[in-house]
Amino acid sequence: MKEIPYFRYNYLYSEFKNELDRTFSETLGKGAILGQQELKDFERTVADFLGVKYAIGVGNGTSSLLLMTRVLGVQKGDEVIIPSHTFVATAAAVAWWGATPVLVDCGNDHLLDVDKVEAAITPKTKAIIIAQLNGRTGEMDRLQAIADKHHLVVLEDAAQAFGSKFLNRCAGTWGIMGSFSFHPAKTLGAFGDGGMIVTHDEQLAHKLFCLRDHGRDPQTNEVVAWGINSRLDNVQAAMLSVKFSHYSKTIQRRRTIMQRYCDRLAGVSEITMPPAPNANDGRHYDIAQNCEIEAEKRDELRNFLKENGIGTLLPWGGRALHQIPALQSSMHFDRHALARTELLFKRCLMLPLNTSVTDDEVDYVCDTILKFYR
Ligand SMILES: Cc1ncc(COP(=O)(O)O)c(C=O)c1O
């Protein structure tokens, strides 16, 4: 029997150990701890890679969401449309300012169902946040058209989609602002927490640079607003630059693994696979952050995989936002209008997908799944 954990955290380091060791000791050796050249370089790298003017490194992907909604002025009495299938942080970025998250269903691609957004718009709607999940970018042209029609802005929670594209444009760069996470399990993972906000807008960028650093203007060091301390650590930025230098290979490998899962499991009628990278419709470029399948008898399958040494994960611990009892009363939703999400959360399961996973391991996972359904 093989042992395939869902994620191998030690591999984050061993994969590029020599380069990381060198960078770590060089950066610390010269005392470049906070807000130094390594951070500025990484911010420039990210902005150029994504094709956006400004990138603001922050402490994590949650505070980047919070800062985006803060600069937008989201406040009590406002409503913000978000998918019910997203991490709790997307909703927290609305609820923390006293506003109400309004939950919308997902589509067959597991992302916000753009066709259901318009029905959720009211005179109180302030913005729409799409979560670009599993390494895929939603149909942003159609979403933006709806937002424009109603004079609303779109924000992107692109925590899971660094470098993913729709119509050749990167996730995070469609909306007025986009948010990324460098949580260790992300495709570009730090050795701790990290995040980034991107925007084309100079004024918003300036405010964000101030807010992440106690409200201090980076040029004058003068406090110009209430802020917080949420800076991306210089050392994390240096380590992320090392990992970024291998990023195209990382994504290639992830897409290859995803394709192998899709090929091997294509004939299994009890399973619905995510879109295969090679079956691209010419509009989407997915970065294979997660392999989120839908499976009949999901819980039995999960146990069978566990008995056979294979770790899997349920998205968000197995609950969509509207299924979290402690938070239900502060969100707005109609359970009947979330039917696709309800169905998804009875069936969804994430298979191991990261660069430590070998072809043999993918085959073993697939063989075990085939054995289960036979
Ligand atoms: C969709 C989504 N939004 C927000 C976050 C929050 O990011 P972080 O963990 O860096 O705060 C994550 C990941 O953890 C995520 O997957």
Side-chain angles (χ1 to χ4, degrees):
M1 186 173 93
K2 288 186 195 292
E3 280 295 329
I4 311 174
Y6 182 73
F7 198 78
R8 294 184 175 105
Y9 282 94
N10 57 346
Y11 193 74
L12 284 175
Y13 174 55
S14 60
E15 192 177 14
F16 306 119
K17 181 179 181 314
N18 291 343
E19 281 176 78
L20 290 166
D21 282 348
R22 204 177 327 120
T23 302
F24 187 71
S25 61
E26 273 173 20
T27 311
L28 289 187
K30 64 181 178 183
I33 309 289
L34 281 177
Q36 300 298 308
Q37 196 58 42
E38 287 75 8
L39 174 58
K40 293 190 184 92
D41 289 347
F42 182 60
E43 288 173 336
R44 193 67 264 147
T45 299
V46 168
D48 292 346
F49 172 67
L50 298 176
V52 72
K53 264 188 164 163
Y54 303 98
I56 300 105
V58 293
N60 52 68
T62 302
S63 52
S64 63
L65 290 164
L66 282 163
L67 290 172
M68 289 200 310
T69 46
R70 176 73 175 179
V71 288
L72 200 64
V74 170
Q75 59 185 343
K76 196 170 165 54
D78 291 338
E79 292 177 353
V80 176
I81 292 171
I82 64 171
S84 182
H85 178 15
T86 185
F87 189 39
V88 67
T90 324
V94 177
W96 256 50
W97 310 125
T100 306
V102 175
L103 308 183
V104 168
D105 210 3
C106 65
N108 286 333
D109 61 358
H110 301 185
L111 270 56
L112 177 73
D113 186 342
V114 174
D115 292 327
K116 293 183 180 164
V117 167
E118 207 157 11
I121 295 173
T122 74
K124 291 182 182 170
T125 308
K126 176 92 178 175
I128 303 163
I129 308 180
I130 181 167
Q132 315 285 24
L133 299 180
N134 301 322
R136 190 173 179 84
T137 311
E139 297 195 1
M140 297 306 293
D141 52 347
R142 292 204 300 126
L143 183 62
Q144 192 62 54
I146 293 167
D148 289 346
K149 183 173 156 198
H150 294 271
H151 309 290
L152 297 170
V153 294
V154 175
L155 301 178
E156 290 175 71
D157 179 351
Q160 299 191 359
F162 186 74
S164 158
K165 292 178 191 163
F166 178 69
L167 300 178
N168 219 21
R169 185 166 163 186
C170 283
T173 72
W174 284 84
I176 186 168
M177 286 173 277
S179 166
F180 293 93
S181 164
F182 304 121
H183 177 281
K186 299 292 189 261
T187 52
L188 187 65
F191 296 90
D193 284 314
M196 188 76 78
I197 309 169
V198 300
T199 181
H200 300 284
D201 186 300
E202 187 181 350
Q203 275 192 340
L204 288 173
H206 179 68
K207 283 187 191 164
L208 290 163
F209 275 119
C210 299
L211 291 197
R212 75 157 180 197
D213 185 29
H214 305 288
R216 290 185 291 204
D217 185 317
Q219 266 80 50
T220 62
N221 214 30
E222 192 83 24
V223 174
V224 293
W226 289 112
I228 57 169
N229 178 1
S230 182
R231 303 171 294 224
L232 176 60
D233 277 353
N234 201 67
V235 178
Q236 294 291 358
M239 307 295 259
L240 284 164
S241 285
V242 171
K243 298 198 76 185
F244 180 79
S245 67
H246 302 278
Y247 197 60
S248 63
K249 263 194 277 157
T250 300
I251 297 308
Q252 232 178 330
R253 176 66 194 145
R254 283 179 164 271
R255 284 170 56 88
T256 302
I257 294 172
M258 178 71 107
Q259 187 63 47
R260 199 172 183 96
Y261 274 129
C262 289
D263 289 344
R264 290 284 329 270
L265 297 172
V268 186
S269 60
E270 292 89 346
I271 283 186
T272 307
M273 294 302 291
N278 293 351
N280 214 311
D281 57 3
R283 302 191 309 154
H284 292 273
Y285 177 78
D286 299 350
I287 60 157
Q289 161 71 60
N290 305 316
C291 183
E292 187 175 89
I293 68 167
E294 292 184 54
E296 278 174 31
K297 299 193 200 151
R298 189 263 319 266
D299 295 334
E300 290 101 307
L301 171 64
R302 190 172 191 222
N303 281 335
F304 187 72
L305 291 171
K306 192 175 169 201
E307 283 160 20
N308 284 279
I310 300 164
T312 58
L313 207 67
L314 299 185
W316 332 124
R319 284 194 165 129
L321 286 178
H322 71 279
Q323 296 167 334
I324 302 176
L327 305 180
Q328 277 166 341
S329 65
S330 42
M331 298 184 288
H332 185 82
F333 62 89
D334 168 6
R335 208 166 196 129
H336 302 294
L338 297 171
R340 185 64 182 87
T341 309
E342 291 258 310
L343 177 68
L344 177 63
F345 275 76
K346 289 189 182 111
R347 290 165 52 87
C348 57
L349 185 69
M350 302 207 293
L351 304 179
L353 198 173
N354 55 76
T355 50
S356 79
V357 176
T358 64
D359 288 353
D360 279 354
E361 289 178 332
V362 174
D363 289 345
Y364 177 71
V365 174
C366 295
D367 289 341
T368 312
I369 291 173
L370 291 167
K371 206 159 128 194
F372 173 76
Y373 285 114
R374 274 177 204 147

